[in-house]
């Protein structure tokens, strides 16, 4: 698609190919940054616009109606920014709202997240897999359908990671408090011979170094963003909107929470360039 823009009475014609547009990506807050990092490395020519809804985090204990309303609000924001595809970098938001988003915005492709039960089941040698996710994700239909397929073949150990999203949002990933909480959730999994751990919440990926310290290699952690990166590329190719012209993409980050917390998380992800972070009210 091409676009014409009119500046103050002068007609300025330029062609913006859909492929040149950015990919929109959002989460209830900062967790989706781990997904952004992974996808941005996988698709280095693409530009991204990230929206972190920190003001309303956590989503995990909110109603589906509330989460859906937030997802619609953020989608409209990203569409106003002219994005070409939207990644819902949040398992809880995907569970609550992806169907409604696809129904209401049929002209745009959405990539959602769901806990990686399938790859974990295929990889498990002990027949025990662990899933760490939010209450909202566990109660979703998507999760139930996924779980029913694999339950006959592996024992799935479910753990709600209550409190972890809040700690990640407050910049306390490496705190004693976080390690103590993670020990409470992870040690029983090790004792129960779990050999594959599914992180069913994007915020939990920020804790991977702490989880690895606890499991000491006994459990393989599945990075949830891997499937998202491949699915995104596939959709961009199918719709002929994969960026092939530029060498490097650009990134813009929006937060309605503390931008300093967003900067800290981006820095923890070892991003080389100085990030462009903008504050938004809602
Ligand atoms: N990052 C969200 C997810 O993947 C966190 C959920 C929350 O805000 O509770 O589920």
């Amino acid at each position: 698609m091409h676009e014409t823009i009119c500046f103050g009475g002068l007609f300025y014609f330029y062609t913006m190919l859909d492929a040149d547009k950015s990919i929109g990506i959002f989460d209830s807050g900062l967790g989706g940054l781990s997904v952004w990092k992974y996808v941005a490395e996988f698709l280095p020519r693409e530009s991204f616009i990230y929206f972190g809804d920190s003001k309303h985090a956590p989503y995990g204990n909110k109603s589906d109606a509330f989460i859906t309303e937030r997802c619609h609000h953020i989608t409209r924001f990203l569409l106003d920014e002219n994005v070409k595809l939207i990644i819902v970098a949040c398992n809880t938001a995907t569970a609550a709202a992806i169907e409604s988003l696809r129904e209401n915005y049929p002209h745009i492709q959405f990539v959602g997240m769901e806990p990686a039960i399938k790859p974990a089941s295929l990889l498990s040698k002990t027949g025990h897999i662990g899933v760490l996710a939010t209450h909202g994700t566990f109660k979703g239909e998507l999760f139930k359908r996924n779980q029913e397929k694999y339950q006959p073949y592996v024992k799935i150990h479910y753990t709600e990671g209550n409190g972890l999203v809040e700690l990640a949002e407050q910049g306390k990933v490496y705190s004693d408090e976080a390690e103590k909480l993670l020990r409470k959730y992870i040690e029983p999994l090790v004792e129960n011979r779990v050999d594959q751990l599914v992180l069913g919440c994007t915020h939990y990926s920020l804790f991977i170094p702490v989880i690895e310290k606890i499991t000491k290699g006994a459990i393989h952690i599945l990075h949830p963003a891997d499937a998202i990166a491949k699915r995104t590329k596939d959709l961009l190719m199918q719709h002929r909107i994969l960026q092939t012209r530029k060498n490097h993409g650009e990134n813009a980050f929006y937060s309605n929470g503390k931008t300093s917390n967003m900067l800290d998380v981006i820095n923890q992800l070892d991003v080389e360039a100085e990030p462009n972070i903008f504050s938004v009210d809602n």
Side-chain angles (χ1 to χ4, degrees), residues 27-29 31-32 56-61 89-93 113 134 137 165 200-204:
D27 178 40
S28 65
H56 300 97
Y59 279 179
N61 55 12
C90 176
N91 295 261
T92 315
M113 304 211 55
T134 68
T137 295
V165 171
C201 168
T202 53
H203 280 76
Y204 302 168

Side-chain angles (χ1 to χ4, degrees), residues 69-112:
E69 205 284 303
R70 288 308 303 160
C71 291
H72 280 255
H73 172 83
I74 298 165
T75 296
R76 287 192 294 273
F77 175 91
L78 292 171
L79 290 177
D80 285 347
E81 296 291 319
N82 212 11
V83 299
K84 61 181 174 180
L85 174 146
I86 295 179
I87 300 174
V88 183
C90 176
N91 295 261
T92 315
T94 302
I98 197 95
E99 281 176 22
S100 159
L101 292 174
R102 289 189 173 131
E103 230 172 79
N104 281 276
Y105 307 97
H107 63 288
I108 187 116
Q109 297 297 315
F110 288 91
V111 179

Side-chain angles (χ1 to χ4, degrees), residues 34-49:
S34 60
V35 180
W36 159 75
K37 170 85 186 323
Y38 199 99
V39 182
E41 279 180 357
F42 190 72
L43 297 168
R45 292 170 186 236
E46 297 292 342
S47 296
F48 292 83
I49 298 178

Side-chain angles (χ1 to χ4, degrees), residues 149-180:
K149 270 193 244 163
Y150 298 95
Q151 197 126 39
Y153 310 105
V154 284
K155 169 96 179 98
I156 307 176
H157 301 258
Y158 308 94
T159 306
E160 278 185 24
N162 297 324
L164 292 173
V165 171
E166 290 87 336
L167 289 173
E169 287 293 319
Q170 292 159 17
K172 294 184 179 166
V173 167
Y174 294 101
S175 63
D176 289 348
E177 208 180 333
E179 187 173 330
K180 204 170 147 205

